[in-house]
Amino acid sequence: MSDEKSVAGETQPFVILNADGSYTRPVSFPSSPPKPDPDSDTPTLSKDVIINDTNKTGVRILIYIPKETPVEKLPLLVYYHGGGFIVMTAATTMNHELCELLSAHLQAVVVSVDYRNAPEHRLPAAYDDGVEALHWIKSTQDPWLTEFSDLSNCYLLGSSAGANLVYHAALRVSQHLADLEPSVIKGLILHCLFIGGVERTESEIRLASTGLLFTLSLSDSMWNLALPVGATRDREYCNLMRGSPDDMGRIKDVGCQPALQVMIIRDGDLMMDRQIEFAKALELKGVECTCFYSDGYHGVEATDKAKVEELLQEISRFMSSVNGTKSNAISDK
């Protein structure tokens, strides 16, 4: 069966093309409802908000509720989930629980963006939704944001496909940052960036089938359904090195001056070589980019709580350093 008809998961396809042209997703990912009740015994509250009725997109807002009323407003973290652009939502349990931890650990307001999935909505639909969410944030009168979040202390975080979305959303807003005010993006956090290309890298060949949750064939299949019809993996949506020569340089206009960005890279991630190459290319364009290396495979946080804690600590460290000293340069692996 061709990639256009199905995308294989561990034991069954994630996406199946039906005879009428519609798609079915036989794999059901557990989901979690929001928790908006302030009397509930939970460190965070959450609620869903629709921001585009036509596209059926929205956000899940999570807010850390400290035992004492905070003196200052909380930092704002905008989160874009992973899933190869074809599966999962902001309500998927693993995404919701990570956002709960982010909100509690960082003592932050988290806005988890629910963007449209391919193949029903191929790229750049997800990028459109990611940028729309940023414009909604700056203009909304939702009290959870207006009363508790500091829009001038905003960070964009994405996991896997969400990290890819962070980069493209940042590119789009880079020349129109005034349109986002009073929101000010302080930094970008790319966690296990979903990236590809036609020519294979050494890590793709070496780690093609070793990932417990993610393999090279699955990556290819996801890109086949996420990219515009007829596009190859060298389209700039997938191969970030193939964009306009000026694209990477524009990233330094987003966030602090010079722009601050952190990339979290797992040494068992088959996309590791591309992630490192991309980070070094950003530095050549004047983007201050720090890479945090650790063992593990793509998506290891889904099964290893210690890796989740490690991720939280690294994000916290990055956010704390944004207004501090210059971050370390990229070191060779």
Side-chain angles (χ1 to χ4, degrees), residues 1 35 79-80 121 141 149 162 179 185 204 214 221 238 259 272:
M1 185 175 292
K35 304 172 183 177
Y79 180 69
Y80 299 98
H121 306 284
Q141 294 303 305
S149 71
D179 292 343
I185 300 172
E204 286 175 338
F214 190 77
S221 297
C238 174
M272 179 182 68

Side-chain angles (χ1 to χ4, degrees), residues 266 295-297 299-310:
R266 301 298 184 189
D295 61 319
Y297 49 85
V300 65
E301 293 84 5
T303 59
D304 190 335
K305 291 183 179 180
K307 291 301 178 184
V308 175
E309 181 62 27
E310 182 182 75

Side-chain angles (χ1 to χ4, degrees), residues 181-208:
E181 294 178 355
S183 297
V184 177
I185 300 172
K186 289 293 191 68
L188 311 177
I189 306 166
L190 309 186
H191 167 227
C192 292
L193 173 66
F194 187 41
I195 185 172
V198 172
E199 184 177 350
R200 301 303 191 192
T201 66
E202 188 278 333
S203 65
E204 286 175 338
I205 296 171
R206 175 170 51 87
L207 302 169

